[in-house]
């Protein structure tokens, strides 16, 4: 991969409301002596930052690499590096999410890049990682049959969604594969429950502080589902039923203080926690 820089800069900015400006607090660099690329960034409750990405191995004179390794680093609130590890089990780190003071949830990638596909590709994996030293604790899942989509933390639990990618066509693609699975884990990695949606694809999800989960699903007319802490249906509504709706195509959930907003790409639909669909604006 030609042109990847050998250092990764991490900047954290703090908003100064009085001056309506931002102030750069610190910048730090990770240098392993190998070309690096940052992919994932997360911050915990103590303002420690976690950066995940990949480093190139066996780089030739043209800048091409025959192998990659996952890199994960932790910095404290002042930007000082606490630890940095290479994870040989992965080509890169796709996402990192702090669970609590003890653990991180980390999604690894094993696919190649462009012409550099590995001889024996492995599925991506979900790992429980120690927040104190970056050590792998236990593997929680393998995304062999359904790819990883997204994850979130709320109410002391980890919510993980995997499934087929959403097709680019409008409301239905008969030739496309469908399927979504949402799993819930305790903060120590114990898998508590899961639910499969064999005929739906997840477009976006939001988990409220009380564990209520909101999921935007396709195909057909888009559905916004509310699931309780046991992943059982509470209600389902169609954002396109909003007065004045021109049709939701680019679905994205935006969480407000007391309501949800569905970003349709060409407008926004407001939906209350009780499933009442507001106007399209």
């Amino acid at each position: 991969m030609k042109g990847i820089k050998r250092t990764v800069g991490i900047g954290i900015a703090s908003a100064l409301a009085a001056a309506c400006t931002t102030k750069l607090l610190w910048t730090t660099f990770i240098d392993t002596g190998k070309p690096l690329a940052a992919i994932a960034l997360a911050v915990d409750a103590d303002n420690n930052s976690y950066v995940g990405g990949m480093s190139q191995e066996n780089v030739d004179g043209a800048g091409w690499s025959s192998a990659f390794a996952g890199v994960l680093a932790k910095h404290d609130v002042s930007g000082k590096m606490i630890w940095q590890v290479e994870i040989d089990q992965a080509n890169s780190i796709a996402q990192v999410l702090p669970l609590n003071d003890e653990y991180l949830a980390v999604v690894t990638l094993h696919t190649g890049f462009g012409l550099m596909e590995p001889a024996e590709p492995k599925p991506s994996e979900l790992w429980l990682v120690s927040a104190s030293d970056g050590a792998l604790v236990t593997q929680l899942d393998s995304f062999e049959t359904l790819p990883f989509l997204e994850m979130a933390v709320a109410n002391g639990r980890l919510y993980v969604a995997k499934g087929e990618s959403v097709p680019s066509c409008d409301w239905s693609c008969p030739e496309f594969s469908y399927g979504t699975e949402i799993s819930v884990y305790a903060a120590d990695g114990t898998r508590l429950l899961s639910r499969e949606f064999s005929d739906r694809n997840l477009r976006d999800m939001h988990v409220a502080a009380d564990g209520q989960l909101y999921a935007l699903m396709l195909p057909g007319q888009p559905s916004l589902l509310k699931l309780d802490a046991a992943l059982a249906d509470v209600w389902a509504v169609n954002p396109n039923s909003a007065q004045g709706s021109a049709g939701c195509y680019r679905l994205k959930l935006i969480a407000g203080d007391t309501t949800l907003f569905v970003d349709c790409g060409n407008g926004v639909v407001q939906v209350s926690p009780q499933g009442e669909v507001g106007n399209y604006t």
Side-chain angles (χ1 to χ4, degrees), residues 146-149 161-165 179-181 201:
L146 290 175
F148 167 76
L149 293 176
K162 59 182 179 179
E164 300 291 348
S165 300
T180 296
E181 181 179 324
N201 285 358

Side-chain angles (χ1 to χ4, degrees), residues 209-253:
D210 59 0
Q212 304 288 307
L213 187 148
Y214 299 86
L216 276 170
M217 297 281 196
L218 289 172
Q221 292 293 331
S223 295
L224 174 59
L225 283 68
K226 181 178 181 179
L227 309 177
D228 62 19
L231 299 183
D233 290 353
V234 177
W235 49 252
V237 298
N238 177 10
N240 279 342
S241 65
Q243 182 177 353
S245 174
C248 288
Y249 295 94
R250 192 196 72 195
L251 297 171
K252 183 69 177 177
L253 276 177

Side-chain angles (χ1 to χ4, degrees), residues 66-87:
S66 60
F68 297 86
V71 177
L72 186 63
K74 178 180 181 178
H75 298 80
D76 65 16
V77 65
S78 64
K80 179 182 178 181
M81 182 179 290
I82 299 176
W83 50 256
Q84 175 183 310
V85 295
E86 286 194 5
I87 300 178

